[in-house]
Each structure stands twice: as C-alpha cells, then as structure tokens.
C-alpha cells in the first residue's frame, strides 16, 4: 500500500469508500498492495469480517484483485476510470488510434428540418425506415433479423446486455488480446473477465470450452476485424465454436461486428448458427463516422425484451434525428460506393505493412479490420524506439490480460508507399533492443 494513504472507516461501506477515494484521487495506484484483512481490522478496530466484506465489494466492482500469496492489490485498470491512450506527441505520425481514414467517411448532414413532437418517442422508439434497413443489413450475412433494436453504440449495447443478464461477481469470457474498452467495461460492471485465447481465426475452441466449464455466464467476441489482431472466423472455426457453445445453451453470446462494412472478410458469424441466447451488435462508427453513436442489434426474443426494457427505463430511445441521418446514409448509393472503396484500401494497406515487415522476418497478423498486431518481447522499447523515428504506435498492454506482449499498428491511414520505411525503422528498433537486452 502507498505509504502516504491511510485507509479509514468503521463499517464495510466506509472502508470500501475510503479505498475507492484513494484510487480515484491517486493515493492508491494500480498494483499498490492493500493490508491483509486481519492487519487492517486491527488498525481500524473492527472485526476481520467487516474488512473482508469491504474487500469483497471492491473486488466485485473491479477496483481490487486478490493474487493468492501475492495478496490483495489495486487493479491494474480500476473500474473508477477507463484506460485512456496517451496523447500523441507533437510531430509524430499517429498509428495508434484504431480509427478509420476520414477520406472514406461521408460528410454527415443532419435533417434540414426537425418537426417538434408532443411527448416522447418511448412508444415508438425506432424509425420504420431504419428498422427495415437494419433488418436487411443483418439478413445480408445470414443473421436472423426477426428481432432487432437500436443502441447508442456497441459498448452501450454490451453494457446493457451484461447488466441485465448477469449479477456482480459473475464471469464473462473475453478475447485475449481484445478490445481495451471492453476489458475496462466488464470489471466496471462488477463482473469478472475470463480470458480466452485468440489466434488468426479468432477464439480458440478449447480455450473457450475451458472458460465455459469454469462457469462464465456470457461470451463477448468479434467475428471479423477483431481488435487488436484482425482475426476473423473461418467457416470451420465458426462451426467448431458453435459445437462448444451448444454444450452451454444458457450462456449469452454477444458478437461485436463493428467492422462489418470495412473488415475485408466474409461473415461466418455465431449469430447465424441458431444459438439459444445470442445478440449481434453492429455500429456505424467505422464506416459512416465516429460521431454517429448508433448501433443496430439483432438478437433472440428474450435478449431483446431485457435490452429494451432496461433502455426504456434509462435513455428511452436513440435520437430520431440521429436515426434519420443513419437511414439517409444507408440509402445513399454514393456513400455505399465510398465505403466499399475504403474497405478495399484498408485491405491493401494492411497487406502492405504485413508484407514489408515480413521482408525483415518480423511476424505480424492482421487478416481483417484496421490494425496489424506485431508480437514483440518489450513493448515499451518498440514504442519508444519508433517514436524516435517519427511513428506513434500502441503498446499492447492495453489490449491483453494473459496474452504475450505485442504492439498494435493502425494501418487505416498508412499509405502503402510508407510501409517499407516503417518496417525498416521497426527492424532497426528491434535490432537495437535485441542487442541491448541480450537477443
């Protein structure tokens, strides 16, 4: 525990609040050790049971973790704050953000006039035109679309699904490495993350089976354009995963198909396999604009009822003004052509960097999506080394739980002509690191 911070309180809630205050204000940093239960109980003059109850609440809320003989420590990503990427230093080429190229995003044009309405849209939350377009969007890839709804983005949808389905302390299987905001979200909801290994084809079936046998209540994954590795389900892998999931029909399976339009990979989705409990969420952020906080959701009837029931009690509906914008974009032939051109360019740029790195015998993966994942031994050395050459890439620590170290390079704006220079700089930095750290 940080020497300058003293935990206070005479009740479990008071002790938990004191620890949370320390984390929020910086008195307790990620990795700082908390006192053993009996020692803190003696210091505060309370029973060990009171301290144990406080620690249990903090664990369920994702603020602390217990590491066996390593004791209880502040979580590396405490749920009171999400990991934010470091600010891009002045003058560097930003290849760390994971964002699409603005050149392939349409200009957003809000409706020219918005007619006032009496009351609210709770009774009719979805515009009929956008609902029908959303059904066609899912049905195009074989996803059942009898039950569809809308949300304010993928994470908004996933948070609502998990919070209505699970209870604090329940376990969620997540990809490792995986989407860093999801890795933050799960503990923030008071849930436990269980890592599932990812290879070039996505979730590894045996790793998923192990997680399911361990009692996870939900699985969250991406069928293509997986962040950060670019993995995508082949038909064979999809069928293997479905066979595993059928052994656990009560588990909710949530697919985040955020790269549906620009992933550069075919759709072999779990959502099309007839599972009992499932949902697939697709957003407009990657192909229509990051400021469009809208997502379409297809799911089973029970999941729909739970999602919409919770939404009715909170935000109620997605703005109809926003829905009109999305519906217009979906129906615009020029926008569809622009998105298709972007998908082709993104594939070319990914392949260019993977090929350039391969020329130096540097293994990189990125079969779909906007990023390339490069395994390394020392993330900091690579990030800092490339910085001296004018490149800014993302350290892999934000994206992984138990997976080996790597760096993520967003190739969405990396021109193929620049890939050889980046690869040469990467090889130089890697060579320097091997000489420094003993190869």
């Amino acid at each position: 525990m940080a020497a300058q911070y003293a935990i206070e309180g005479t009740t479990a809630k008071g002790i938990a609040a004191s620890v949370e205050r320390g984390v929020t204000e910086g008195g307790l940093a990620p990795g700082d050790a908390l006192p053993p239960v009996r020692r803190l109980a003696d210091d505060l003059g309370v029973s060990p049971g009171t301290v144990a109850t406080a620690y249990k609440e903090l664990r369920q809320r994702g603020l602390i973790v217990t590491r066996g003989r390593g004791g209880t420590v502040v979580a590396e990503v405490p749920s009171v704050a999400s990991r934010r990427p470091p600010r891009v230093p002045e003058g560097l080429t930003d290849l760390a953000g994971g964002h699409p190229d603005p050149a392939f995003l349409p200009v957003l044009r809000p409706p020219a006039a918005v007619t006032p309405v009496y009351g609210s849209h709770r009774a009719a939350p979805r515009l009929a035109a956008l609902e029908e377009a959303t059904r066609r969007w899912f049905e195009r890839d074989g996803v059942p679309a009898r039950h569809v709804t809308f949300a304010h983005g993928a994470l908004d949808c996933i948070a609502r699904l998990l919070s209505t389905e699970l209870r604090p302390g329940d376990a969620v299987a997540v990809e490792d490495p995986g989407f860093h905001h999801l890795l933050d979200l799960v503990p923030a909801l008071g849930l436990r993350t269980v890592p599932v290994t990812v290879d070039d084809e996505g979730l590894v079936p045996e790793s998923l089976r192990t997680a399911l046998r361990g009692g996870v209540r939900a699985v969250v994954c991406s069928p293509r354009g997986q962040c950060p590795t670019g993995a995508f389900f082949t038909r064979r892998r999809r069928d293997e995963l479905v066979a595993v999931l059928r052994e656990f029909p009560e588990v909710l399976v949530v697919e985040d198909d955020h790269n549906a339009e620009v992933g550069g990979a075919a759709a072999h989705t779990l959502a099309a396999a007839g599972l009992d409990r499932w949902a697939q969420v697709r957003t407009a952020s990657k192909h229509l604009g990051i400021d469009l906080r809208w997502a379409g959701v297809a799911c089973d009837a029970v999941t729909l009822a739970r999602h919409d029931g919770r939404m009715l009690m909170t935000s109620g509906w997605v703005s109809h003004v926003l829905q009109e914008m999305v519906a217009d974009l979906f129906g615009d032939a020029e926008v569809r052509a622009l998105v298709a051109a972007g998908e082709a360019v993104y594939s070319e740029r990914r392949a260019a960097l993977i090929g350039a790195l391969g020329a130096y015998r540097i293994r990189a993966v990125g079969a779909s999506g906007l990023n390339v994942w490069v395994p390394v031994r020392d993330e900091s050395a690579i990030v800092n080394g490339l910085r001296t050459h004018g490149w800014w890439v993302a350290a892999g620590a934000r994206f992984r739980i138990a997976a080996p170290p790597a760096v993520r390079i967003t190739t969405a704006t990396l021109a193929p002509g620049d890939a050889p220079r980046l690869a040469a700089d990467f090889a130089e930095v890697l060579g320097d690191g091997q000489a420094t750290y003993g190869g």
Side-chain angles (χ1 to χ4, degrees):
M1 184 182 65
Q4 70 271 23
Y5 189 82
I7 299 174
E8 302 173 343
T10 57
T11 65
K13 287 190 177 298
I15 295 167
S18 177
V19 172
E20 180 171 355
R21 187 164 54 251
V23 173
T24 303
E25 296 175 354
L28 290 170
D32 280 351
L34 300 184
V37 169
R38 290 191 179 277
R39 187 199 305 167
L40 183 57
D42 289 342
D43 291 345
L44 299 177
V46 300
S47 72
T50 298
V51 175
T53 299
Y55 280 11
K56 179 180 179 181
E57 178 184 340
L58 291 165
R59 277 195 299 272
Q60 289 179 339
R61 293 177 50 224
L63 272 75
I64 65 174
V65 294
T66 298
R67 296 175 172 169
R69 293 183 178 179
T72 299
V73 302
V74 177
E76 290 300 324
V77 191
S79 61
V80 293
S82 180
R83 280 175 287 197
R84 295 183 183 274
R87 187 180 299 275
V88 181
E90 194 80 24
L92 300 188
T93 299
D94 181 10
L95 302 178
H99 303 305
D101 187 339
F104 297 103
L105 298 176
V107 175
L108 302 182
R109 295 185 174 88
V114 180
T115 304
V117 298
Y118 174 75
S120 76
H121 290 297
R122 290 181 187 273
R126 296 182 292 277
L127 289 181
L130 184 55
E131 185 170 356
E132 182 56 34
T134 302
R135 293 184 194 281
R136 293 195 299 270
W137 192 20
F138 284 110
E139 290 171 345
R140 179 197 69 185
D141 295 319
V143 177
R146 179 181 178 186
H147 306 291
V148 298
T149 189
F150 302 158
H152 300 95
L155 287 172
D156 172 73
C157 172
I158 293 170
R160 193 171 294 111
L161 292 174
L162 295 180
S163 64
T164 57
E165 189 75 21
L166 280 64
R167 296 294 177 265
D170 285 346
V172 180
V174 298
E175 297 162 324
D176 185 22
F179 183 37
H180 59 298
H181 289 309
L182 177 67
L183 300 186
D184 294 347
L185 173 65
V186 172
L189 295 173
L191 307 172
R192 294 185 293 112
T193 54
V194 177
V196 177
T197 304
V198 172
D199 65 14
D200 293 354
E201 297 180 56
L203 295 174
V204 173
E206 282 309 309
S207 183
L208 176 61
R209 179 178 278 110
T210 298
L212 291 166
R213 286 176 175 170
V216 302
R217 296 281 310 281
V219 178
V220 182
C221 61
S222 294
R224 52 186 164 181
Q226 194 267 352
C227 178
T229 71
F232 67 90
F233 293 158
T234 60
R235 186 183 300 277
R236 178 183 62 83
R237 175 60 57 84
R238 189 274 308 274
D239 292 345
E240 292 172 345
L241 292 171
V242 169
V244 173
L245 289 165
R246 289 200 190 285
E247 300 174 26
F248 305 87
E250 73 285 356
V251 171
L252 174 65
V253 179
V254 181
E255 280 189 307
D256 179 4
D257 195 9
H258 60 284
N259 274 314
E261 296 305 291
V262 294
H268 301 297
T269 72
L270 301 174
L275 299 174
D276 289 350
R277 297 300 315 285
W278 64 277
Q280 185 179 106
V281 54
R282 295 183 174 185
T283 68
S285 299
K286 298 299 185 185
H287 70 288
L288 296 181
I290 60 174
D291 204 36
L292 285 174
R293 312 312 299 164
W294 174 88
V297 188
C299 54
D300 66 86
V302 172
T303 300
L304 177 79
R306 292 179 178 178
H307 175 278
D308 283 6
R310 177 64 60 87
M311 192 167 190
L312 186 67
M313 294 185 291
T314 54
S315 58
W317 67 92
V318 175
S319 162
H320 277 208
V321 177
L322 179 62
Q323 289 189 46
E324 286 189 28
M325 289 177 60
V326 176
D328 288 345
L329 291 167
F330 271 24
D332 191 318
E334 291 185 3
V335 170
R336 290 197 298 271
L338 180 65
V339 171
E343 181 178 35
V345 169
Y346 293 146
S347 296
E348 178 187 8
R349 290 173 179 176
R350 282 194 322 272
L353 181 58
I354 292 172
L357 290 170
Y360 291 93
R361 298 184 180 179
I362 300 172
R363 179 178 176 271
V365 296
S368 63
L370 307 182
N371 305 294
V372 167
W373 184 249
V374 190
V376 297
R377 189 177 63 179
D378 188 328
E379 295 176 0
S380 296
I382 298 299
V383 171
N384 292 328
L386 288 176
R387 177 177 180 175
T388 66
H389 290 273
W391 308 103
W392 188 244
V393 303
R398 292 165 47 212
F399 306 94
R400 57 189 181 82
I401 302 173
V407 295
R408 190 191 75 170
I409 303 175
T410 299
T411 55
T413 58
L414 181 68
D418 292 332
R421 180 166 61 89
L422 173 56
D425 292 341
F426 199 112
E428 181 179 332
V429 171
L430 193 62
D432 290 343
Q434 289 174 338
T436 301
Y437 297 104

